[in-house]
Amino acid sequence: MSNPIWLYVLIGLAAGLLSGLFGIGGGIIIVPALIFLAGFTQLQANGTSLAALLAPVGILAVMTYYRNGNVDVKAAVFIAIALLVAAAFSAYFAQKLNPGYLRIAFGMFIIIMGCYTVYTGVSKL
């Protein structure tokens, strides 16, 4: 990948800002940005996003939420364990899929989650 470093920095800043603000996974920003802005394949974007999120995964944001009493540590530990197992399985499975189907599935997931989020937000106004 011969993209300028500043592009990756901007993608990281956008993912970090939106993760801290909305509590979303950075991959929702990183994966599409790597595909559309940096020319990555779906699998390259998935792998790179996971690698980028592996260590920092919002540690400073988590600390801020924790200090304000907004982190359920027990829930987070069990989610993390389940996430570890499921991510390993699904990463293996993703390597076997046609990248076109994987991209369609990702897009459908984003659309469904977006519609649900807007619907529940409007219903609370």
Side-chain angles (χ1 to χ4, degrees), residues 31-91:
V31 170
L34 288 175
I35 291 169
F36 298 116
L37 301 176
F40 283 37
T41 67
Q42 182 73 47
L43 290 172
Q44 288 170 327
N46 290 357
T48 303
S49 175
L50 287 170
L53 295 168
L54 185 62
V57 82
I59 190 66
L60 295 177
V62 169
M63 289 170 46
T64 300
Y65 278 94
Y66 180 80
R67 278 193 297 261
N68 287 284
N70 292 311
V71 174
D72 184 322
V73 175
K74 180 177 158 186
V77 166
F78 282 102
I79 290 168
I81 292 168
L83 188 146
L84 176 72
V85 173
F89 171 77
S90 61

Side-chain angles (χ1 to χ4, degrees), residues 94-109:
Q95 302 305 307
K96 308 294 183 196
L97 289 175
N98 178 313
Y101 291 132
L102 192 59
R103 183 179 251 178
I104 291 167
F106 181 74
M108 290 173 56
F109 171 74

